[in-house]
Amino acid sequence: MSFPADYGYMEGDQLGKPYDVRLLKRLASYGRPHLAVILFASLLTLMATGLELTLPYITRLAIDRYMVRQALEVRPQAAPPELVRALRQEAGAEFLPGRGQAVFVPETAWRKLDHKLTARLRAAGAVGEHPFYLAPPTPEADRLARLHPELFVKAGERWVVATPDLARLPGEELRALRAPDAWGMARLALLFLLAAAGVFGLGYFQTMLLERTGQEMMLAMRQQLYRHLLGRDEFFFSRNPVGKLVTRLTNDIQNLNEMFTSALVSLFQDVFVIVGIVVVLLWLDFKLALVCLALTPVVGGLAWAFSRLARDAFRRLQGHLGRINSWLGETLDGLAVIKLFRAEGAGQKQFRRLNDGYFDAGMRQVKVFAVFLPITELLSALAMALIIYYGGGRVVQDQLSLGTLVAFLSYMQMFFRPVRDLAEKYNIMQAAMASGERIFHLLDDPQALPAPRTPAPAQAGPGRVEFRGVTFGYEPGRPVVRDLNLVIPPGESWAVVGPTGAGKTSLVNLLMRLYDPDQGSVLIDGVDLRDMDRKDVAKRVAMVSQEVFLLSGTVKENITLNRPEVDQEHLERALEVSGAAEFVGHLEHGLDTQLGEGARRLSAGQRQLLALARAVAGDPRVLVLDEATSSVDPVSERLIQKSLPRVMAGRTSLVVAHRLSTIRRADNILVMHQGRVVEQGRHQELMDADGLYARLVRLQRLKNKEDHHANGD
């Protein structure tokens, strides 16, 4: 079995380009009315991202300022004179004089020194073995120093305690000594909490604003596309399946909404996060940042490869899903036929093959993600390992603070999150670009019946119908109606008969202005349909077709169709004239009865009676009946035939029918063959002429006899 090329969701081979500037500019036009909101939401995004970037830095401050407040003891007498001179030259102002000739250098100043100088001082044995805790300048520190002179060492105006000796202080005294550190960490913790709450609050408002804006943009686009589709002619709908158009209005619009609210905003935010992290890392420690960012080309190449593989896997998956949906739609619509011919087994085998294909495509997509995400995590772990190895070594050498090392670890965890997001958003962009191409392809389709620049005034008329030199064809050079000239006087009922392909339905389509003639004109009351407003045409001409279309709403909604001219009086009169009043009155809720999809709870005859009521409810002057009784049973046909005289009374009627019961009462019968009227007259006149009409009647009588014999009558 062959499958259609259009699967209704991700059709075709081209998925679009995420960098198509032309499409992005066109999509941006829908955002111009919301530009102020978008800019404000973007500002909120920047503020939230900026606050998020401060969180690791606050952690760094807490560690370096309050958790690890250290100083190193340097004994100049143990170092060569040139090292002492270099030390005093680089950090002399920050020295704290200590015991003897020793000095204490705070770690913040020590890390600023040339690492070669500090390494030589350590090699010379001039640096103390243990670091010292630099006590804050508080009265409590002075009191504890007097109580424990064996632990505290004077360092200028400050006191220091060897880090191992801190454990020798009683718990309450240690807490009292470090109370300023505790308060400092509490302030930073509160600042951290406020920043995190700010990220949450700004993110909430930014999301709400952008989601609402996205929904309004998609609402405008969907409304525009729907209005555009309603304005297309029948040629357009013959080339575009209904499922495809429904997909444009639903899935494709949703893809664009996903791109705006998720991909574009997240892309902007992720890029800002990555750039911000790189800037902060370079500012914190240039060398360690370069070591961490050495993996960036590898991550970029991996993301590019993933996007290519995921694109192909995504396309295959959606293609198989389209095949499954297409098969399900066909089989469920034709379930009765499948059961009648006992084709369930073949259907199950076919569905199994389709389902297996979808499973394989799904597993391929899973494998792509199963490889990319762990590799990303592995690279993230490798970056962490580099930070711990290289950065930790520099911490040991007093070239990097512990807080900076912790901040680097946090920033690198944040760095890999948007990298993973970027690869996924790339696929959303591709799907959205493909959807945008298809939507704009429909919007750019000019195939529509032209509207008159200055419509003729809507005036009530008797309903005179005229075809003046009409030639029409569905394909160029192949007319189905040829040089047709006829006038239907007001109030008369004319029938059109002829073999299949004679042009009967084309005549109806032209009168309804579903198409425009290639040559000539169709007029009602002397006005060309092309000069009339489409609403005026709809008020003057009504049609009842062979295939009745009913909505899933109530009986009343199906008759009125929310037309303002159909009030309660018109509604009740339409029910009486059409003969539908009796069965509608027996429905559970009368006019408010819900019909459901396709009105399947009603018989074919009842649906046809409702169609008649709908046609006459607007009081049209011209009524078209296109095979209105050909698909109903004999009982329903008698009900419809009984109501037709009332329906057609006082109206100009054009009836396309095969059954003699409808044709006999016509004021005039047109016999068409190969697009031309070859005979016309009343029934008996045409029978006496013994032409094409007479042959058609004899064939129908013969068929009716065969049907009676087949039914055992």
Short mmCIF file of all heavy atoms in Angstrom, two decimals, residues 120-142:
data_model
loop_
_atom_site.label_atom_id
_atom_site.label_comp_id
_atom_site.label_asym_id
_atom_site.label_seq_id
_atom_site.Cartn_x
_atom_site.Cartn_y
_atom_site.Cartn_z
N ARG A 120 59.82 30.86 46.05
CA ARG A 120 61.20 30.95 46.56
C ARG A 120 61.20 31.20 48.06
O ARG A 120 62.07 30.69 48.79
CB ARG A 120 61.94 32.07 45.83
CG ARG A 120 62.18 31.76 44.34
CD ARG A 120 62.87 32.90 43.65
NE ARG A 120 64.22 33.10 44.19
CZ ARG A 120 65.03 34.13 43.86
NH1 ARG A 120 64.57 35.05 42.99
NH2 ARG A 120 66.23 34.24 44.39
N LEU A 121 60.25 32.00 48.55
CA LEU A 121 60.15 32.22 49.99
C LEU A 121 59.84 30.90 50.72
O LEU A 121 60.41 30.63 51.79
CB LEU A 121 59.07 33.26 50.29
CG LEU A 121 59.41 34.72 49.93
CD1 LEU A 121 58.18 35.61 50.08
CD2 LEU A 121 60.55 35.24 50.83
N ARG A 122 58.91 30.11 50.16
CA ARG A 122 58.62 28.82 50.77
C ARG A 122 59.84 27.91 50.72
O ARG A 122 60.14 27.20 51.69
CB ARG A 122 57.45 28.15 50.06
CG ARG A 122 56.09 28.77 50.37
CD ARG A 122 54.96 28.00 49.70
NE ARG A 122 53.67 28.59 49.97
CZ ARG A 122 52.95 28.38 51.08
NH1 ARG A 122 53.44 27.58 52.04
NH2 ARG A 122 51.78 28.95 51.24
N ALA A 123 60.53 27.92 49.61
CA ALA A 123 61.72 27.06 49.48
C ALA A 123 62.80 27.47 50.48
O ALA A 123 63.56 26.62 50.98
CB ALA A 123 62.24 27.13 48.06
N ALA A 124 62.87 28.76 50.77
CA ALA A 124 63.88 29.24 51.72
C ALA A 124 63.47 28.99 53.16
O ALA A 124 64.26 29.27 54.09
CB ALA A 124 64.13 30.73 51.49
N GLY A 125 62.24 28.50 53.40
CA GLY A 125 61.77 28.25 54.76
C GLY A 125 61.32 29.49 55.47
O GLY A 125 61.24 29.51 56.71
N ALA A 126 61.01 30.56 54.72
CA ALA A 126 60.62 31.82 55.34
C ALA A 126 59.13 31.89 55.63
O ALA A 126 58.68 32.82 56.29
CB ALA A 126 61.03 32.98 54.43
N VAL A 127 58.34 30.94 55.15
CA VAL A 127 56.90 30.95 55.34
C VAL A 127 56.53 29.93 56.40
O VAL A 127 57.01 28.78 56.38
CB VAL A 127 56.17 30.64 54.02
CG1 VAL A 127 54.66 30.68 54.23
CG2 VAL A 127 56.57 31.62 52.94
N GLY A 128 55.70 30.35 57.34
CA GLY A 128 55.31 29.47 58.43
C GLY A 128 54.57 28.23 57.94
O GLY A 128 53.93 28.24 56.88
N GLU A 129 54.67 27.18 58.76
CA GLU A 129 54.06 25.90 58.35
C GLU A 129 52.55 25.98 58.34
O GLU A 129 51.88 25.42 57.47
CB GLU A 129 54.55 24.80 59.28
CG GLU A 129 53.97 23.44 58.95
CD GLU A 129 54.47 22.37 59.92
OE1 GLU A 129 55.25 22.70 60.81
OE2 GLU A 129 54.01 21.21 59.78
N HIS A 130 51.96 26.66 59.34
CA HIS A 130 50.50 26.72 59.47
C HIS A 130 50.00 28.13 59.16
O HIS A 130 50.66 29.11 59.54
CB HIS A 130 50.07 26.33 60.88
CG HIS A 130 50.47 24.95 61.27
ND1 HIS A 130 49.94 23.83 60.69
CD2 HIS A 130 51.39 24.52 62.20
CE1 HIS A 130 50.48 22.75 61.23
NE2 HIS A 130 51.38 23.14 62.15
N PRO A 131 48.84 28.24 58.52
CA PRO A 131 48.23 29.57 58.36
C PRO A 131 47.63 30.03 59.70
O PRO A 131 47.42 29.23 60.62
CB PRO A 131 47.15 29.34 57.31
CG PRO A 131 46.79 27.90 57.44
CD PRO A 131 48.05 27.19 57.85
N PHE A 132 47.35 31.31 59.80
CA PHE A 132 46.78 31.90 61.01
C PHE A 132 45.41 32.48 60.70
O PHE A 132 45.19 33.03 59.61
CB PHE A 132 47.71 33.00 61.55
CG PHE A 132 48.93 32.48 62.25
CD1 PHE A 132 50.01 31.98 61.53
CD2 PHE A 132 48.99 32.48 63.64
CE1 PHE A 132 51.13 31.50 62.17
CE2 PHE A 132 50.12 31.99 64.28
CZ PHE A 132 51.19 31.50 63.55
N TYR A 133 44.55 32.33 61.71
CA TYR A 133 43.24 32.95 61.59
C TYR A 133 43.38 34.42 61.97
O TYR A 133 43.87 34.75 63.06
CB TYR A 133 42.23 32.26 62.50
CG TYR A 133 40.91 33.01 62.64
CD1 TYR A 133 40.03 33.09 61.58
CD2 TYR A 133 40.58 33.66 63.83
CE1 TYR A 133 38.83 33.77 61.69
CE2 TYR A 133 39.37 34.33 63.96
CZ TYR A 133 38.51 34.40 62.88
OH TYR A 133 37.33 35.10 63.00
N LEU A 134 42.93 35.32 61.09
CA LEU A 134 43.02 36.75 61.33
C LEU A 134 41.75 37.21 62.01
O LEU A 134 40.69 37.33 61.38
CB LEU A 134 43.22 37.48 59.99
CG LEU A 134 43.51 38.98 60.04
CD1 LEU A 134 44.80 39.25 60.81
CD2 LEU A 134 43.61 39.55 58.63
N ALA A 135 41.85 37.42 63.32
CA ALA A 135 40.66 37.75 64.10
C ALA A 135 40.17 39.14 63.74
O ALA A 135 40.97 40.04 63.46
CB ALA A 135 40.97 37.68 65.59
N PRO A 136 38.85 39.35 63.75
CA PRO A 136 38.30 40.68 63.46
C PRO A 136 38.66 41.65 64.58
O PRO A 136 38.82 41.25 65.75
CB PRO A 136 36.79 40.43 63.39
CG PRO A 136 36.56 39.19 64.18
CD PRO A 136 37.78 38.36 64.02
N PRO A 137 38.82 42.93 64.29
CA PRO A 137 39.19 43.92 65.32
C PRO A 137 38.01 44.28 66.21
O PRO A 137 37.37 45.32 66.05
CB PRO A 137 39.65 45.12 64.48
CG PRO A 137 38.90 45.01 63.20
CD PRO A 137 38.72 43.54 62.95
N THR A 138 37.72 43.42 67.20
CA THR A 138 36.58 43.63 68.09
C THR A 138 37.05 43.55 69.54
O THR A 138 38.09 42.93 69.85
CB THR A 138 35.50 42.57 67.85
OG1 THR A 138 36.06 41.26 68.12
CG2 THR A 138 35.01 42.61 66.40
N PRO A 139 36.32 44.17 70.47
CA PRO A 139 36.67 44.04 71.91
C PRO A 139 36.68 42.58 72.36
O PRO A 139 37.46 42.21 73.26
CB PRO A 139 35.57 44.84 72.61
CG PRO A 139 35.09 45.81 71.58
CD PRO A 139 35.21 45.11 70.28
N GLU A 140 35.83 41.77 71.80
CA GLU A 140 35.78 40.36 72.17
C GLU A 140 37.09 39.67 71.83
O GLU A 140 37.59 38.82 72.59
CB GLU A 140 34.62 39.67 71.46
CG GLU A 140 34.33 38.26 71.96
CD GLU A 140 33.90 38.22 73.41
OE1 GLU A 140 33.32 39.22 73.90
OE2 GLU A 140 34.17 37.20 74.08
N ALA A 141 37.71 40.03 70.69
CA ALA A 141 39.01 39.44 70.33
C ALA A 141 40.08 39.87 71.32
O ALA A 141 40.93 39.05 71.73
CB ALA A 141 39.38 39.86 68.91
N ASP A 142 40.04 41.16 71.77
CA ASP A 142 41.02 41.62 72.77
C ASP A 142 40.84 40.88 74.09
O ASP A 142 41.82 40.49 74.75
CB ASP A 142 40.86 43.13 72.99
CG ASP A 142 41.21 43.93 71.72
OD1 ASP A 142 41.99 43.41 70.89
OD2 ASP A 142 40.69 45.05 71.57
#
